[in-house]
Amino acid sequence: MVSIQSKWRYLFMFLGIQLVVMALLSREGYQKRVSYFIRIFRKPDTTGVSGCNHTTAGTAGGDVYANLSHIFKAHNHGDEMPYCPKTSPLIGGPIHVKFPSGLTLAEVQRKNPLVVRGGRYRPPDCGARHRTAIIIPHRHREHHLKFLLYYLHPFLQRQQLNYGIYVIHQAGNYTFNRAKLMNVGFREAMKEEDWDCLFFHDVDLIPEDDRNTYVCDSNPKHAAIAMDKFGYKLPYKMYFGGVSALTPLHYLKMNGFPNNYWGWGGEDDDIGVRVSLGGMYISRPSVKVGRYKMIKHKLDKGNDVNPKRFNMLAKTRQTWKLDGMNTAEYETISRQYMPLYTNITVNIGTEAGLHRPPPTPPHPAKAAGKAAGKAADKPADKTAGKTADKAPAEVPAKGPAKTSAKLEEGLSEKKSTLRDR
Ligand code: UDH
Ligand code: NGS
């Protein structure tokens, strides 16, 4: 017969073994399995943004902030910092994305204490292997920007990148020009740092899996391969819209992006064609990881469908060397180092140039067209900078900030000084 005393002994031994097993399982590598149990007991996030607390591959996804407390505790090794591992241990796979109404930029700032002025970050405990600039074309989408910043900062931190976020804000009300803003972003970002990869990123696309790493491939990469609005499939083979990634060398090879697509549509297809005209291929992540959720919206005011886009696309082969990075003319109106991003406001003019009104109003029966043309010459509206901790505005840069030749010079220098990684 088993006595009561030994029953207790067996019970304690059993509980002890359970504890040891749990401790082993909760170590790195087993976290995903344990997270399932943890999630059941944890309180929901106070912001209401994160639905789950940890990452679980193959399920609805985890909280994008889940692993970050590890970084906050990490201490800096000063000069002797080792390189970060090739694959970040903070990567967790699928991310749960939703868009609650109460989120504020202050809350995003609070949740990202290691992000410094201008939206810059580098891992505190290891040397980043990659330097990535995010370029976001923007006008009147502050609401979307807030969500993108909420998700993008922790997403990039989990990938242990040295990164910076640039919002390129089109001044005035003249027809929007996404591709030209990207050219501006490329030039302005490269003036600040020797970025080795640039991500051109629509403001309304939120990545849903952090295995979709924001580093460049040997060919230009189309990252937004699987969007919710297209049923998580590529809509057509040559699609290059939403989010794409190029090295400075790729960018130069294809003469950047076109400057003359005013309004919605076609510019991303033109960029896709430029990739092959520049002698390169489109690389893509797998549909499993290149997933994005789009913040739903309608076509914006000031971004009407461009009726000329098909004619223009038919001529890309003839025009790509004549129009692109080598001809991008703009004036930088201000550069603001905000807590979560660098806001660059630019006058990109109209079809007629920087200071002249457009030749004919682009949209019939719109007196607004004229007013908008004038507005483009006026100082910028500072909508993206409302909550700025403002730095002194830069002196407006007249014309191209760096010529292609200068950049190429810099790039060959860069290649020769690249550290052995
Ligand atoms: N963008 C702005 N402000 C604008 C217009 C565009 O910031 O006024 C930027 C923003 O980064 C956006 C990107 O340009 O994510 C692309 O513009 P878009 O979101 O309007 O284009 P998309 O193709 O959606 O993603 C269009 C929805 C309806 C298209 C119907 C056409 N038949
Ligand atoms: C194509 C457009 C692209 C656009 C894509 C997806 O037809 O610019 O649809 O559009 N090309 C032309 O119009 C030539 S979307 O469904 O996101 O509105 O990106």
Side-chain angles (χ1 to χ4, degrees), residues 311-333:
N311 284 344
M312 292 166 72
L313 261 175
K315 292 188 199 124
T316 307
R317 187 175 282 278
Q318 288 90 58
T319 56
W320 72 288
K321 286 191 180 164
L322 307 172
D323 171 57
M325 191 162 121
N326 57 352
T327 54
E329 261 201 316
Y330 61 92
E331 283 176 350
T332 304
I333 293 174

mmCIF file with all atom_site columns, all heavy atoms in Angstrom, residues 311-333:
data_model
loop_
_atom_site.group_PDB
_atom_site.id
_atom_site.type_symbol
_atom_site.label_atom_id
_atom_site.label_alt_id
_atom_site.label_comp_id
_atom_site.label_asym_id
_atom_site.label_entity_id
_atom_site.label_seq_id
_atom_site.pdbx_PDB_ins_code
_atom_site.Cartn_x
_atom_site.Cartn_y
_atom_site.Cartn_z
_atom_site.occupancy
_atom_site.B_iso_or_equiv
_atom_site.pdbx_formal_charge
_atom_site.auth_seq_id
_atom_site.auth_comp_id
_atom_site.auth_asym_id
_atom_site.auth_atom_id
_atom_site.pdbx_PDB_model_num
ATOM 1   N N   . ASN A 1 311 ? -0.707 54.608 -73.319 1.00 0.00 ? 311 ASN A N   1
ATOM 2   C CA  . ASN A 1 311 ? 0.158  55.144 -74.383 1.00 0.00 ? 311 ASN A CA  1
ATOM 3   C C   . ASN A 1 311 ? 1.579  55.301 -73.881 1.00 0.00 ? 311 ASN A C   1
ATOM 4   O O   . ASN A 1 311 ? 2.545  55.005 -74.583 1.00 0.00 ? 311 ASN A O   1
ATOM 5   C CB  . ASN A 1 311 ? -0.343 56.526 -74.835 1.00 0.00 ? 311 ASN A CB  1
ATOM 6   C CG  . ASN A 1 311 ? -1.567 56.397 -75.701 1.00 0.00 ? 311 ASN A CG  1
ATOM 7   O OD1 . ASN A 1 311 ? -1.854 55.299 -76.198 1.00 0.00 ? 311 ASN A OD1 1
ATOM 8   N ND2 . ASN A 1 311 ? -2.311 57.484 -75.855 1.00 0.00 ? 311 ASN A ND2 1
ATOM 9   N N   . MET A 1 312 ? 1.699  55.787 -72.648 1.00 0.00 ? 312 MET A N   1
ATOM 10  C CA  . MET A 1 312 ? 3.039  55.999 -72.094 1.00 0.00 ? 312 MET A CA  1
ATOM 11  C C   . MET A 1 312 ? 3.761  54.674 -71.916 1.00 0.00 ? 312 MET A C   1
ATOM 12  O O   . MET A 1 312 ? 4.945  54.544 -72.232 1.00 0.00 ? 312 MET A O   1
ATOM 13  C CB  . MET A 1 312 ? 2.937  56.747 -70.763 1.00 0.00 ? 312 MET A CB  1
ATOM 14  C CG  . MET A 1 312 ? 2.462  58.182 -70.948 1.00 0.00 ? 312 MET A CG  1
ATOM 15  S SD  . MET A 1 312 ? 1.973  58.931 -69.412 1.00 0.00 ? 312 MET A SD  1
ATOM 16  C CE  . MET A 1 312 ? 3.541  59.138 -68.643 1.00 0.00 ? 312 MET A CE  1
ATOM 17  N N   . LEU A 1 313 ? 3.006  53.700 -71.430 1.00 0.00 ? 313 LEU A N   1
ATOM 18  C CA  . LEU A 1 313 ? 3.608  52.377 -71.189 1.00 0.00 ? 313 LEU A CA  1
ATOM 19  C C   . LEU A 1 313 ? 4.129  51.743 -72.474 1.00 0.00 ? 313 LEU A C   1
ATOM 20  O O   . LEU A 1 313 ? 5.149  51.055 -72.471 1.00 0.00 ? 313 LEU A O   1
ATOM 21  C CB  . LEU A 1 313 ? 2.556  51.444 -70.598 1.00 0.00 ? 313 LEU A CB  1
ATOM 22  C CG  . LEU A 1 313 ? 2.570  51.262 -69.091 1.00 0.00 ? 313 LEU A CG  1
ATOM 23  C CD1 . LEU A 1 313 ? 1.396  50.405 -68.654 1.00 0.00 ? 313 LEU A CD1 1
ATOM 24  C CD2 . LEU A 1 313 ? 3.884  50.651 -68.628 1.00 0.00 ? 313 LEU A CD2 1
ATOM 25  N N   . ALA A 1 314 ? 3.406  52.014 -73.558 1.00 0.00 ? 314 ALA A N   1
ATOM 26  C CA  . ALA A 1 314 ? 3.815  51.443 -74.841 1.00 0.00 ? 314 ALA A CA  1
ATOM 27  C C   . ALA A 1 314 ? 5.156  52.012 -75.298 1.00 0.00 ? 314 ALA A C   1
ATOM 28  O O   . ALA A 1 314 ? 5.820  51.438 -76.169 1.00 0.00 ? 314 ALA A O   1
ATOM 29  C CB  . ALA A 1 314 ? 2.730  51.709 -75.880 1.00 0.00 ? 314 ALA A CB  1
ATOM 30  N N   . LYS A 1 315 ? 5.553  53.150 -74.696 1.00 0.00 ? 315 LYS A N   1
ATOM 31  C CA  . LYS A 1 315 ? 6.791  53.803 -75.169 1.00 0.00 ? 315 LYS A CA  1
ATOM 32  C C   . LYS A 1 315 ? 7.949  53.704 -74.180 1.00 0.00 ? 315 LYS A C   1
ATOM 33  O O   . LYS A 1 315 ? 8.981  54.351 -74.380 1.00 0.00 ? 315 LYS A O   1
ATOM 34  C CB  . LYS A 1 315 ? 6.491  55.290 -75.422 1.00 0.00 ? 315 LYS A CB  1
ATOM 35  C CG  . LYS A 1 315 ? 5.568  55.519 -76.578 1.00 0.00 ? 315 LYS A CG  1
ATOM 36  C CD  . LYS A 1 315 ? 5.473  57.001 -76.899 1.00 0.00 ? 315 LYS A CD  1
ATOM 37  C CE  . LYS A 1 315 ? 4.235  57.269 -77.727 1.00 0.00 ? 315 LYS A CE  1
ATOM 38  N NZ  . LYS A 1 315 ? 3.353  58.265 -77.142 1.00 0.00 ? 315 LYS A NZ  1
ATOM 39  N N   . THR A 1 316 ? 7.795  52.938 -73.135 1.00 0.00 ? 316 THR A N   1
ATOM 40  C CA  . THR A 1 316 ? 8.844  52.902 -72.104 1.00 0.00 ? 316 THR A CA  1
ATOM 41  C C   . THR A 1 316 ? 10.215 52.567 -72.699 1.00 0.00 ? 316 THR A C   1
ATOM 42  O O   . THR A 1 316 ? 11.232 53.138 -72.302 1.00 0.00 ? 316 THR A O   1
ATOM 43  C CB  . THR A 1 316 ? 8.487  51.881 -71.006 1.00 0.00 ? 316 THR A CB  1
ATOM 44  O OG1 . THR A 1 316 ? 7.182  52.188 -70.532 1.00 0.00 ? 316 THR A OG1 1
ATOM 45  C CG2 . THR A 1 316 ? 9.461  51.917 -69.850 1.00 0.00 ? 316 THR A CG2 1
ATOM 46  N N   . ARG A 1 317 ? 10.224 51.668 -73.656 1.00 0.00 ? 317 ARG A N   1
ATOM 47  C CA  . ARG A 1 317 ? 11.497 51.269 -74.278 1.00 0.00 ? 317 ARG A CA  1
ATOM 48  C C   . ARG A 1 317 ? 12.234 52.471 -74.882 1.00 0.00 ? 317 ARG A C   1
ATOM 49  O O   . ARG A 1 317 ? 13.458 52.529 -74.858 1.00 0.00 ? 317 ARG A O   1
ATOM 50  C CB  . ARG A 1 317 ? 11.200 50.220 -75.351 1.00 0.00 ? 317 ARG A CB  1
ATOM 51  C CG  . ARG A 1 317 ? 12.405 49.577 -75.991 1.00 0.00 ? 317 ARG A CG  1
ATOM 52  C CD  . ARG A 1 317 ? 11.964 48.472 -76.933 1.00 0.00 ? 317 ARG A CD  1
ATOM 53  N NE  . ARG A 1 317 ? 11.608 47.267 -76.207 1.00 0.00 ? 317 ARG A NE  1
ATOM 54  C CZ  . ARG A 1 317 ? 12.488 46.367 -75.779 1.00 0.00 ? 317 ARG A CZ  1
ATOM 55  N NH1 . ARG A 1 317 ? 13.775 46.550 -76.006 1.00 0.00 ? 317 ARG A NH1 1
ATOM 56  N NH2 . ARG A 1 317 ? 12.113 45.302 -75.131 1.00 0.00 ? 317 ARG A NH2 1
ATOM 57  N N   . GLN A 1 318 ? 11.461 53.421 -75.427 1.00 0.00 ? 318 GLN A N   1
ATOM 58  C CA  . GLN A 1 318 ? 12.086 54.609 -76.026 1.00 0.00 ? 318 GLN A CA  1
ATOM 59  C C   . GLN A 1 318 ? 12.386 55.696 -74.988 1.00 0.00 ? 318 GLN A C   1
ATOM 60  O O   . GLN A 1 318 ? 13.253 56.524 -75.184 1.00 0.00 ? 318 GLN A O   1
ATOM 61  C CB  . GLN A 1 318 ? 11.177 55.239 -77.095 1.00 0.00 ? 318 GLN A CB  1
ATOM 62  C CG  . GLN A 1 318 ? 11.047 54.454 -78.396 1.00 0.00 ? 318 GLN A CG  1
ATOM 63  C CD  . GLN A 1 318 ? 9.878  53.470 -78.331 1.00 0.00 ? 318 GLN A CD  1
ATOM 64  O OE1 . GLN A 1 318 ? 8.749  53.855 -78.107 1.00 0.00 ? 318 GLN A OE1 1
ATOM 65  N NE2 . GLN A 1 318 ? 10.168 52.189 -78.520 1.00 0.00 ? 318 GLN A NE2 1
ATOM 66  N N   . THR A 1 319 ? 11.638 55.702 -73.887 1.00 0.00 ? 319 THR A N   1
ATOM 67  C CA  . THR A 1 319 ? 11.734 56.866 -72.987 1.00 0.00 ? 319 THR A CA  1
ATOM 68  C C   . THR A 1 319 ? 12.570 56.655 -71.716 1.00 0.00 ? 319 THR A C   1
ATOM 69  O O   . THR A 1 319 ? 12.963 57.622 -71.090 1.00 0.00 ? 319 THR A O   1
ATOM 70  C CB  . THR A 1 319 ? 10.316 57.298 -72.529 1.00 0.00 ? 319 THR A CB  1
ATOM 71  O OG1 . THR A 1 319 ? 9.678  56.165 -71.926 1.00 0.00 ? 319 THR A OG1 1
ATOM 72  C CG2 . THR A 1 319 ? 9.486  57.819 -73.675 1.00 0.00 ? 319 THR A CG2 1
ATOM 73  N N   . TRP A 1 320 ? 12.857 55.399 -71.375 1.00 0.00 ? 320 TRP A N   1
ATOM 74  C CA  . TRP A 1 320 ? 13.408 55.166 -70.034 1.00 0.00 ? 320 TRP A CA  1
ATOM 75  C C   . TRP A 1 320 ? 14.761 55.825 -69.785 1.00 0.00 ? 320 TRP A C   1
ATOM 76  O O   . TRP A 1 320 ? 15.069 56.214 -68.669 1.00 0.00 ? 320 TRP A O   1
ATOM 77  C CB  . TRP A 1 320 ? 13.472 53.665 -69.709 1.00 0.00 ? 320 TRP A CB  1
ATOM 78  C CG  . TRP A 1 320 ? 14.515 52.885 -70.447 1.00 0.00 ? 320 TRP A CG  1
ATOM 79  C CD1 . TRP A 1 320 ? 14.514 52.535 -71.750 1.00 0.00 ? 320 TRP A CD1 1
ATOM 80  C CD2 . TRP A 1 320 ? 15.711 52.339 -69.885 1.00 0.00 ? 320 TRP A CD2 1
ATOM 81  N NE1 . TRP A 1 320 ? 15.620 51.797 -72.060 1.00 0.00 ? 320 TRP A NE1 1
ATOM 82  C CE2 . TRP A 1 320 ? 16.377 51.660 -70.924 1.00 0.00 ? 320 TRP A CE2 1
ATOM 83  C CE3 . TRP A 1 320 ? 16.293 52.336 -68.623 1.00 0.00 ? 320 TRP A CE3 1
ATOM 84  C CZ2 . TRP A 1 320 ? 17.596 51.006 -70.742 1.00 0.00 ? 320 TRP A CZ2 1
ATOM 85  C CZ3 . TRP A 1 320 ? 17.494 51.680 -68.442 1.00 0.00 ? 320 TRP A CZ3 1
ATOM 86  C CH2 . TRP A 1 320 ? 18.141 51.027 -69.499 1.00 0.00 ? 320 TRP A CH2 1
ATOM 87  N N   . LYS A 1 321 ? 15.539 56.008 -70.858 1.00 0.00 ? 321 LYS A N   1
ATOM 88  C CA  . LYS A 1 321 ? 16.840 56.643 -70.651 1.00 0.00 ? 321 LYS A CA  1
ATOM 89  C C   . LYS A 1 321 ? 16.735 58.168 -70.639 1.00 0.00 ? 321 LYS A C   1
ATOM 90  O O   . LYS A 1 321 ? 17.614 58.863 -70.141 1.00 0.00 ? 321 LYS A O   1
ATOM 91  C CB  . LYS A 1 321 ? 17.823 56.205 -71.741 1.00 0.00 ? 321 LYS A CB  1
ATOM 92  C CG  . LYS A 1 321 ? 18.293 54.774 -71.538 1.00 0.00 ? 321 LYS A CG  1
ATOM 93  C CD  . LYS A 1 321 ? 19.447 54.441 -72.439 1.00 0.00 ? 321 LYS A CD  1
ATOM 94  C CE  . LYS A 1 321 ? 19.872 53.007 -72.181 1.00 0.00 ? 321 LYS A CE  1
ATOM 95  N NZ  . LYS A 1 321 ? 20.710 52.475 -73.244 1.00 0.00 ? 321 LYS A NZ  1
ATOM 96  N N   . LEU A 1 322 ? 15.634 58.672 -71.224 1.00 0.00 ? 322 LEU A N   1
ATOM 97  C CA  . LEU A 1 322 ? 15.467 60.125 -71.322 1.00 0.00 ? 322 LEU A CA  1
ATOM 98  C C   . LEU A 1 322 ? 14.739 60.707 -70.121 1.00 0.00 ? 322 LEU A C   1
ATOM 99  O O   . LEU A 1 322 ? 14.835 61.890 -69.815 1.00 0.00 ? 322 LEU A O   1
ATOM 100 C CB  . LEU A 1 322 ? 14.662 60.477 -72.593 1.00 0.00 ? 322 LEU A CB  1
ATOM 101 C CG  . LEU A 1 322 ? 15.202 59.891 -73.896 1.00 0.00 ? 322 LEU A CG  1
ATOM 102 C CD1 . LEU A 1 322 ? 14.225 60.133 -75.028 1.00 0.00 ? 322 LEU A CD1 1
ATOM 103 C CD2 . LEU A 1 322 ? 16.567 60.496 -74.209 1.00 0.00 ? 322 LEU A CD2 1
ATOM 104 N N   . ASP A 1 323 ? 13.972 59.868 -69.468 1.00 0.00 ? 323 ASP A N   1
ATOM 105 C CA  . ASP A 1 323 ? 13.209 60.344 -68.313 1.00 0.00 ? 323 ASP A CA  1
ATOM 106 C C   . ASP A 1 323 ? 13.432 59.385 -67.144 1.00 0.00 ? 323 ASP A C   1
ATOM 107 O O   . ASP A 1 323 ? 13.242 58.187 -67.279 1.00 0.00 ? 323 ASP A O   1
ATOM 108 C CB  . ASP A 1 323 ? 11.713 60.386 -68.657 1.00 0.00 ? 323 ASP A CB  1
ATOM 109 C CG  . ASP A 1 323 ? 10.884 60.665 -67.417 1.00 0.00 ? 323 ASP A CG  1
ATOM 110 O OD1 . ASP A 1 323 ? 11.129 61.696 -66.765 1.00 0.00 ? 323 ASP A OD1 1
ATOM 111 O OD2 . ASP A 1 323 ? 10.026 59.824 -67.064 1.00 0.00 ? 323 ASP A OD2 1
ATOM 112 N N   . GLY A 1 324 ? 13.829 59.947 -66.036 1.00 0.00 ? 324 GLY A N   1
ATOM 113 C CA  . GLY A 1 324 ? 14.063 59.102 -64.862 1.00 0.00 ? 324 GLY A CA  1
ATOM 114 C C   . GLY A 1 324 ? 14.862 59.845 -63.831 1.00 0.00 ? 324 GLY A C   1
ATOM 115 O O   . GLY A 1 324 ? 14.721 61.063 -63.677 1.00 0.00 ? 324 GLY A O   1
ATOM 116 N N   . MET A 1 325 ? 15.756 59.108 -63.224 1.00 0.00 ? 325 MET A N   1
ATOM 117 C CA  . MET A 1 325 ? 16.526 59.732 -62.179 1.00 0.00 ? 325 MET A CA  1
ATOM 118 C C   . MET A 1 325 ? 17.411 60.871 -62.702 1.00 0.00 ? 325 MET A C   1
ATOM 119 O O   . MET A 1 325 ? 17.663 61.852 -62.002 1.00 0.00 ? 325 MET A O   1
ATOM 120 C CB  . MET A 1 325 ? 17.395 58.666 -61.561 1.00 0.00 ? 325 MET A CB  1
ATOM 121 C CG  . MET A 1 325 ? 17.911 59.287 -60.392 1.00 0.00 ? 325 MET A CG  1
ATOM 122 S SD  . MET A 1 325 ? 18.547 58.452 -59.161 1.00 0.00 ? 325 MET A SD  1
ATOM 123 C CE  . MET A 1 325 ? 20.114 59.210 -59.252 1.00 0.00 ? 325 MET A CE  1
ATOM 124 N N   . ASN A 1 326 ? 17.835 60.724 -63.965 1.00 0.00 ? 326 ASN A N   1
ATOM 125 C CA  . ASN A 1 326 ? 18.711 61.759 -64.537 1.00 0.00 ? 326 ASN A CA  1
ATOM 126 C C   . ASN A 1 326 ? 17.978 63.062 -64.826 1.00 0.00 ? 326 ASN A C   1
ATOM 127 O O   . ASN A 1 326 ? 18.609 64.085 -65.087 1.00 0.00 ? 326 ASN A O   1
ATOM 128 C CB  . ASN A 1 326 ? 19.426 61.226 -65.804 1.00 0.00 ? 326 ASN A CB  1
ATOM 129 C CG  . ASN A 1 326 ? 18.451 60.744 -66.860 1.00 0.00 ? 326 ASN A CG  1
ATOM 130 O OD1 . ASN A 1 326 ? 17.247 60.669 -66.602 1.00 0.00 ? 326 ASN A OD1 1
ATOM 131 N ND2 . ASN A 1 326 ? 18.947 60.408 -68.034 1.00 0.00 ? 326 ASN A ND2 1
ATOM 132 N N   . THR A 1 327 ? 16.647 63.048 -64.814 1.00 0.00 ? 327 THR A N   1
ATOM 133 C CA  . THR A 1 327 ? 15.912 64.284 -65.138 1.00 0.00 ? 327 THR A CA  1
ATOM 134 C C   . THR A 1 327 ? 14.973 64.730 -64.010 1.00 0.00 ? 327 THR A C   1
ATOM 135 O O   . THR A 1 327 ? 14.205 65.670 -64.211 1.00 0.00 ? 327 THR A O   1
ATOM 136 C CB  . THR A 1 327 ? 15.081 64.092 -66.427 1.00 0.00 ? 327 THR A CB  1
ATOM 137 O OG1 . THR A 1 327 ? 14.263 62.932 -66.251 1.00 0.00 ? 327 THR A OG1 1
ATOM 138 C CG2 . THR A 1 327 ? 15.951 63.933 -67.655 1.00 0.00 ? 327 THR A CG2 1
ATOM 139 N N   . ALA A 1 328 ? 15.030 64.079 -62.873 1.00 0.00 ? 328 ALA A N   1
ATOM 140 C CA  . ALA A 1 328 ? 14.071 64.410 -61.795 1.00 0.00 ? 328 ALA A CA  1
ATOM 141 C C   . ALA A 1 328 ? 14.382 65.789 -61.202 1.00 0.00 ? 328 ALA A C   1
ATOM 142 O O   . ALA A 1 328 ? 15.417 65.980 -60.571 1.00 0.00 ? 328 ALA A O   1
ATOM 143 C CB  . ALA A 1 328 ? 14.134 63.351 -60.694 1.00 0.00 ? 328 ALA A CB  1
ATOM 144 N N   . GLU A 1 329 ? 13.487 66.724 -61.447 1.00 0.00 ? 329 GLU A N   1
ATOM 145 C CA  . GLU A 1 329 ? 13.648 68.094 -60.950 1.00 0.00 ? 329 GLU A CA  1
ATOM 146 C C   . GLU A 1 329 ? 12.661 68.352 -59.839 1.00 0.00 ? 329 GLU A C   1
ATOM 147 O O   . GLU A 1 329 ? 11.456 68.091 -60.004 1.00 0.00 ? 329 GLU A O   1
ATOM 148 C CB  . GLU A 1 329 ? 13.299 69.055 -62.083 1.00 0.00 ? 329 GLU A CB  1
ATOM 149 C CG  . GLU A 1 329 ? 14.451 69.626 -62.823 1.00 0.00 ? 329 GLU A CG  1
ATOM 150 C CD  . GLU A 1 329 ? 14.005 70.901 -63.530 1.00 0.00 ? 329 GLU A CD  1
ATOM 151 O OE1 . GLU A 1 329 ? 12.907 70.862 -64.123 1.00 0.00 ? 329 GLU A OE1 1
ATOM 152 O OE2 . GLU A 1 329 ? 14.724 71.908 -63.461 1.00 0.00 ? 329 GLU A OE2 1
ATOM 153 N N   . TYR A 1 330 ? 13.113 68.883 -58.743 1.00 0.00 ? 330 TYR A N   1
ATOM 154 C CA  . TYR A 1 330 ? 12.193 69.193 -57.641 1.00 0.00 ? 330 TYR A CA  1
ATOM 155 C C   . TYR A 1 330 ? 12.849 70.192 -56.700 1.00 0.00 ? 330 TYR A C   1
ATOM 156 O O   . TYR A 1 330 ? 14.065 70.409 -56.784 1.00 0.00 ? 330 TYR A O   1
ATOM 157 C CB  . TYR A 1 330 ? 11.826 67.916 -56.874 1.00 0.00 ? 330 TYR A CB  1
ATOM 158 C CG  . TYR A 1 330 ? 13.019 67.224 -56.238 1.00 0.00 ? 330 TYR A CG  1
ATOM 159 C CD1 . TYR A 1 330 ? 13.397 67.503 -54.927 1.00 0.00 ? 330 TYR A CD1 1
ATOM 160 C CD2 . TYR A 1 330 ? 13.776 66.309 -56.962 1.00 0.00 ? 330 TYR A CD2 1
ATOM 161 C CE1 . TYR A 1 330 ? 14.492 66.871 -54.352 1.00 0.00 ? 330 TYR A CE1 1
ATOM 162 C CE2 . TYR A 1 330 ? 14.869 65.682 -56.400 1.00 0.00 ? 330 TYR A CE2 1
ATOM 163 C CZ  . TYR A 1 330 ? 15.226 65.970 -55.088 1.00 0.00 ? 330 TYR A CZ  1
ATOM 164 O OH  . TYR A 1 330 ? 16.318 65.358 -54.525 1.00 0.00 ? 330 TYR A OH  1
ATOM 165 N N   . GLU A 1 331 ? 12.043 70.759 -55.834 1.00 0.00 ? 331 GLU A N   1
ATOM 166 C CA  . GLU A 1 331 ? 12.582 71.627 -54.790 1.00 0.00 ? 331 GLU A CA  1
ATOM 167 C C   . GLU A 1 331 ? 12.220 71.050 -53.433 1.00 0.00 ? 331 GLU A C   1
ATOM 168 O O   . GLU A 1 331 ? 11.041 70.780 -53.175 1.00 0.00 ? 331 GLU A O   1
ATOM 169 C CB  . GLU A 1 331 ? 11.940 73.009 -54.873 1.00 0.00 ? 331 GLU A CB  1
ATOM 170 C CG  . GLU A 1 331 ? 12.462 73.862 -55.967 1.00 0.00 ? 331 GLU A CG  1
ATOM 171 C CD  . GLU A 1 331 ? 11.693 75.171 -56.041 1.00 0.00 ? 331 GLU A CD  1
ATOM 172 O OE1 . GLU A 1 331 ? 10.651 75.305 -55.359 1.00 0.00 ? 331 GLU A OE1 1
ATOM 173 O OE2 . GLU A 1 331 ? 12.141 76.043 -56.786 1.00 0.00 ? 331 GLU A OE2 1
ATOM 174 N N   . THR A 1 332 ? 13.227 70.900 -52.615 1.00 0.00 ? 332 THR A N   1
ATOM 175 C CA  . THR A 1 332 ? 12.939 70.437 -51.263 1.00 0.00 ? 332 THR A CA  1
ATOM 176 C C   . THR A 1 332 ? 12.454 71.644 -50.463 1.00 0.00 ? 332 THR A C   1
ATOM 177 O O   . THR A 1 332 ? 13.162 72.638 -50.353 1.00 0.00 ? 332 THR A O   1
ATOM 178 C CB  . THR A 1 332 ? 14.209 69.860 -50.597 1.00 0.00 ? 332 THR A CB  1
ATOM 179 O OG1 . THR A 1 332 ? 14.707 68.839 -51.442 1.00 0.00 ? 332 THR A OG1 1
ATOM 180 C CG2 . THR A 1 332 ? 13.908 69.293 -49.230 1.00 0.00 ? 332 THR A CG2 1
ATOM 181 N N   . ILE A 1 333 ? 11.253 71.554 -49.952 1.00 0.00 ? 333 ILE A N   1
ATOM 182 C CA  . ILE A 1 333 ? 10.695 72.678 -49.200 1.00 0.00 ? 333 ILE A CA  1
ATOM 183 C C   . ILE A 1 333 ? 11.074 72.582 -47.730 1.00 0.00 ? 333 ILE A C   1
ATOM 184 O O   . ILE A 1 333 ? 11.448 73.558 -47.105 1.00 0.00 ? 333 ILE A O   1
ATOM 185 C CB  . ILE A 1 333 ? 9.171  72.729 -49.398 1.00 0.00 ? 333 ILE A CB  1
ATOM 186 C CG1 . ILE A 1 333 ? 8.899  73.087 -50.863 1.00 0.00 ? 333 ILE A CG1 1
ATOM 187 C CG2 . ILE A 1 333 ? 8.533  73.755 -48.470 1.00 0.00 ? 333 ILE A CG2 1
ATOM 188 C CD1 . ILE A 1 333 ? 7.452  73.024 -51.244 1.00 0.00 ? 333 ILE A CD1 1
#
